[in-house]
Amino acid sequence: QLQLQESGPGLVKPSETLSLTCTVSGGSISSSTYYWGWIRQPPGKGLEWIGSMYYSGSTYYNPSLKSRLTISVDTSKNQFSLKLTSVTAADTAVYYCARQLFPYYFDYWGQGTLVTVSS
Amino acid sequence: DIQMTQSPSTLSASLGDRVTITCRASQSISSWLAWYQQKPGKAPKLLIYMASSLESGVPSRFSGSGSGTEFTLTISSLQPDDFATYYCQQYNSYWTFGQGTKVEIK
């Protein structure tokens, strides 16, 4: 059974960089069928797609976040990562990683991790 | 950007009720639409893809319909496990979600 697990700091200071990693188990991140994505959800609010990437390094970023965003992959560890720079309180959210049947929907999700931006 | 608008935002219903949630796209997205269910503190769960295809393992009381700009998610007979928030998501141009519809107990 495919599983995804987010990891990273739960607290980030304003203006600093938010870094998260998603570890995939029960399947290969190098599958030709799938992309791997990040989605976030501010407390009490809806879902926002952040970005998606293919194991080869091809990426799609939300235009509203593109200038601050980097998504990368480490196939040797079956992991992919998110870096969001210059964070503000508006970036406080539960961050989910997910498998994406590209270019369509997200069929497997991690449990999510809350990241709070605060000094 | 393609905007997705769900209605209603909150829906109060009783066990056994037939429930319908609507999702409208700001421009045509053909049938490139998915529906998710989310319970408090949990990740979203895929229910429907391609507007009307039921994901494996999802009960048959869930169904989806529509194309173009108007879509519906129907629960034929509301069960206790169905009280949750439901989101639509388009995948015609990038990926955007509706704001969610909370189904609560009447």
Side-chain angles (χ1 to χ4, degrees), chain B residues 14-98:
Chain B
S14 302
L15 293 176
D17 282 354
R18 182 181 181 87
V19 167
T20 299
I21 299 168
T22 298
C23 178
R24 290 187 174 86
S26 59
Q27 63 189 74
S28 178
I29 58 170
S30 185
S31 296
W32 303 120
L33 186 99
W35 288 97
Y36 300 85
Q37 176 194 66
Q38 187 180 35
K39 297 182 179 180
K42 299 295 186 181
K45 172 189 174 183
L46 177 67
L47 298 176
I48 302 279
Y49 60 93
M50 210 63 88
S52 60
S53 296
L54 195 67
E55 174 71 348
S56 176
V58 174
S60 59
R61 63 181 179 271
F62 290 92
S63 64
S65 64
S67 66
T69 61
E70 187 152 336
F71 302 85
T72 58
L73 173 70
T74 299
I75 309 172
S76 60
S77 177
L78 199 64
Q79 300 302 301
D81 193 46
D82 302 337
F83 292 99
T85 301
Y86 294 85
Y87 293 93
C88 60
Q89 177 230 321
Q90 66 83 19
Y91 42 89
N92 184 74
S93 174
Y94 290 110
W95 298 271
T96 51
F97 295 85

Side-chain angles (χ1 to χ4, degrees), chain A residues 39 41 45-49 52 60-63 96 100 102-112, chain B residues 1 32 34 36 38 41-46 48-50 55 87 89-91 94-99:
Chain A
I39 301 101
Q41 185 171 37
K45 296 188 178 180
L47 300 162
E48 179 183 32
W49 169 71
S52 299
Y60 289 82
Y61 292 159
N62 186 319
Y96 295 99
Q100 183 178 15
F102 193 82
Y104 307 124
Y105 45 84
F106 301 92
D107 60 353
Y108 279 91
W109 296 62
Q111 65 185 26
Chain B
D1 290 8
W32 303 120
Y36 300 85
Q38 187 180 35
K42 299 295 186 181
K45 172 189 174 183
L46 177 67
I48 302 279
Y49 60 93
M50 210 63 88
E55 174 71 348
Y87 293 93
Q89 177 230 321
Q90 66 83 19
Y91 42 89
Y94 290 110
W95 298 271
T96 51
F97 295 85
Q99 83 278 16

Side-chain angles (χ1 to χ4, degrees), chain A residues 8 10-11 18 32 38 43 48 52 55 65 78 80 99 102 107 110:
Chain A
L11 181 64
L18 182 161
S32 60
W38 290 97
E48 179 183 32
S52 299
Y55 75 93
L65 299 170
N78 227 30
F80 61 107
R99 189 180 79 170
F102 193 82
D107 60 353

Side-chain angles (χ1 to χ4, degrees), chain A residues 76-99:
Chain A
S76 67
K77 295 181 179 179
N78 227 30
Q79 295 176 334
F80 61 107
S81 298
L82 162 76
K83 289 189 187 300
L84 187 65
T85 63
S86 305
V87 296
T88 69
D91 296 308
T92 294
V94 174
Y95 285 76
Y96 295 99
C97 58
R99 189 180 79 170

